[in-house]
Amino acid sequence: MIRRDLAPLARIAILLAALSAGAAQAQQPAQGPRQVGTITLRTESVPLIVTLPGRAVAKAEVDIRPRVSGFVTEVLYDPGKPVEVGTPMFRIDATTYEAAVEEARANLASARAAVPQAEAAYDRSRQLQGTGSTKALLEEAQATMEKAQAAEQAATASLRLAETELSWTTITSPLAGMPSVAEVSPGDLVTSGQSDAMATVTQLDPIDVDMYEPSARMQRIRDRIDAGQVSIAQTLNAQLTLENGSSYSVTGEIVAPGYNVSTSTGSIDFRFRFQNAELRILPGMFVRGQIEIGEVEAILVPQIAATRERDGSLTAWVAEDGKAVKRRLTDEGVYQNDWIIADGLRDGEELIVNGITNLAEGAEIAPIPVEIDESGVIRDTPAQTPVTE
């Protein structure tokens, strides 16, 4: 009796399960090739740009030290305000040096007064030669005249030195730049040739940036140049990226190529010079430099179409005989929004740029041509079906 009561319920359950399975099958679309967006790869000439770490250094920097001894009487500049060559910065008590100048002038006047007398005695002795004046007297008069002339020259030199030392009591800047805070105050005693600087003047415009290129990569680039794969640029210019990630608008020129490899870092130092009127770059600041070495024939791959794997290798998908194939790529840096590919792709191949999410090796695909605009946005070519992930 129990089995007869449950039989209708069992039949109803089986019927409902069958209807549900049929509805589920009806909702599933028929499987087919996956639509993907592709672009055709072309070999083209692109700039070969390397990115190097760099550090800013002052074009010139000088420590201000006294050339004469004495007490500081005045500080004549304002720290942080630029100075020019010859701008007075410090003044030293000049009393003793003014007195030395006066003494030297008096000595010069005395020496000059003795010269005409000695010259006249020599002329008389020479005119009397043969009329009673001996040769010995002539030689003595000549020696006296020459001593007087030498004394005048020595007094002139002493006066020049005294005047020079007096001028040194006003210490001027030998460099155009930005001065530091003074290390001395009025009343401090300074001595000639002391080791401690009174202040520092740093030239900030223009400013130099040292960039460091690994010697191994430099050798690889030279090998490619020798093989004719890279056409070298006529001049090496550099662009900078500052510490905050912003781009520096001024282009720098190379001033000192490197010829020595650092034993500690294995890198070669290149120095570039940048105009720095706004003082955005300061000595010691770390930057990144982009240097255009030349041009290279290569294939460009949009960055959105390539993936950096866990092992550091770069991969991308290509359409090959209606199937998706993953390729490992060898890159040589970045140009704009593209990877510069040296190996792993061939001219004319179809690169998959859209629909690559969860794409499997060997999966059947239906390539649809697309375009990538300057902003890196993928757009369908005219009269094409949109591609969705």
Side-chain angles (χ1 to χ4, degrees):
M1 181 181 298
I2 296 175
R3 292 179 181 175
R4 285 198 300 271
D5 292 339
L6 293 178
L9 296 176
R11 286 197 298 270
I12 292 174
I14 294 173
L15 179 59
L16 292 174
L19 291 174
S20 299
Q25 292 177 358
Q27 292 175 358
Q28 293 181 355
Q31 295 293 329
R34 180 174 181 175
Q35 290 185 347
V36 294
T38 62
I39 60 172
T40 302
L41 297 174
R42 292 286 182 266
T43 300
E44 54 187 303
S45 180
V46 296
L48 179 57
I49 300 174
V50 296
T51 300
L52 305 179
R55 189 173 187 181
V57 295
K59 179 178 180 293
E61 187 175 75
V62 61
D63 290 335
I64 306 298
R65 293 187 175 90
R67 303 177 72 174
V68 293
S69 302
F71 289 96
V72 177
T73 58
E74 290 182 88
V75 177
L76 304 172
Y77 74 98
D78 294 326
K81 292 185 178 181
V83 296
E84 301 297 330
V85 175
T87 299
M89 297 185 67
F90 299 94
R91 185 167 285 127
I92 297 174
D93 182 18
T95 303
T96 57
Y97 300 99
E98 291 172 347
V101 169
E102 295 300 325
E103 181 181 1
R105 285 175 179 169
N107 293 336
L108 177 58
S110 176
R112 282 177 176 173
V115 171
Q117 182 180 1
E119 290 176 344
Y122 172 73
D123 289 339
R124 285 193 302 270
S125 180
R126 186 179 58 182
Q127 292 173 1
L128 294 174
Q129 185 72 19
T131 61
S133 177
T134 64
K135 183 178 181 181
L137 292 175
L138 177 63
E139 292 176 348
E140 182 179 354
Q142 182 178 0
T144 301
M145 179 188 67
E146 291 177 350
K147 287 180 180 179
Q149 292 173 341
E152 181 186 14
Q153 294 177 354
T156 300
S158 296
L159 175 60
R160 186 180 302 114
L161 176 60
E163 291 175 340
T164 300
E165 290 182 337
L166 176 61
S167 69
W168 287 345
T169 59
T170 299
I171 302 175
T172 61
S173 174
L175 188 68
M178 299 295 293
S180 67
V181 176
E183 298 293 336
V184 296
S185 302
D188 288 343
L189 176 64
V190 294
T191 58
S192 174
Q194 67 181 36
S195 58
D196 295 334
M198 301 173 71
T200 301
V201 177
T202 305
Q203 185 174 356
L204 300 176
D205 183 26
I207 195 167
D208 293 341
V209 175
D210 289 337
M211 301 184 191
Y212 310 98
E213 167 75 346
S215 59
R217 184 166 68 175
M218 177 60 69
Q219 289 297 330
R220 290 196 298 269
I221 293 175
R222 294 192 64 175
D223 291 342
R224 297 195 64 190
I225 293 173
D226 294 338
Q229 299 174 351
V230 175
S231 58
I232 193 69
Q234 294 297 324
T235 58
L236 289 181
N237 296 324
Q239 296 286 344
L240 289 183
T241 301
L242 304 182
E243 290 176 319
N244 62 355
S246 63
S247 298
Y248 190 59
S249 59
V250 180
T251 300
E253 298 179 351
I254 190 168
V255 293
Y259 296 103
N260 296 315
V261 178
S262 170
T263 57
S264 58
T265 63
S267 61
I268 303 174
D269 183 5
F270 292 85
R271 175 162 291 190
F272 288 81
R273 183 160 295 162
F274 296 81
Q275 297 301 316
N276 192 32
E278 298 180 355
L279 304 184
R280 293 194 62 191
I281 305 175
L282 299 177
M285 184 180 294
F286 289 98
V287 296
R288 294 196 311 275
Q290 294 80 39
I291 304 174
E292 184 174 334
I293 297 177
E295 291 189 343
V296 61
E297 295 294 322
I299 292 175
L300 294 180
V301 170
Q303 291 182 330
I304 60 174
T307 303
R308 185 68 72 179
E309 304 293 341
R310 292 183 179 180
D311 60 0
S313 62
L314 192 67
T315 61
W317 293 92
V318 296
E320 189 174 290
D321 298 329
K323 294 184 178 180
V325 178
K326 179 180 277 191
R327 295 279 182 83
R328 287 186 176 271
L329 313 178
T330 301
D331 69 279
E332 292 186 333
V334 176
Y335 176 65
Q336 296 179 350
N337 294 322
D338 301 324
W339 291 104
I340 302 175
I341 303 302
D343 190 27
L345 296 172
R346 298 186 301 273
D347 188 81
E349 285 192 307
E350 297 295 322
L351 176 72
I352 302 175
V353 296
N354 198 7
I356 61 178
T357 303
N358 297 325
L359 191 61
E361 181 78 24
E364 293 185 358
I365 55 175
I368 297 177
V370 296
E371 297 176 348
I372 300 179
D373 63 18
E374 296 179 354
S375 301
V377 178
I378 300 174
R379 302 184 184 279
D380 299 314
T381 56
Q384 296 294 337
T385 303
V387 179
T388 57
E389 290 289 345

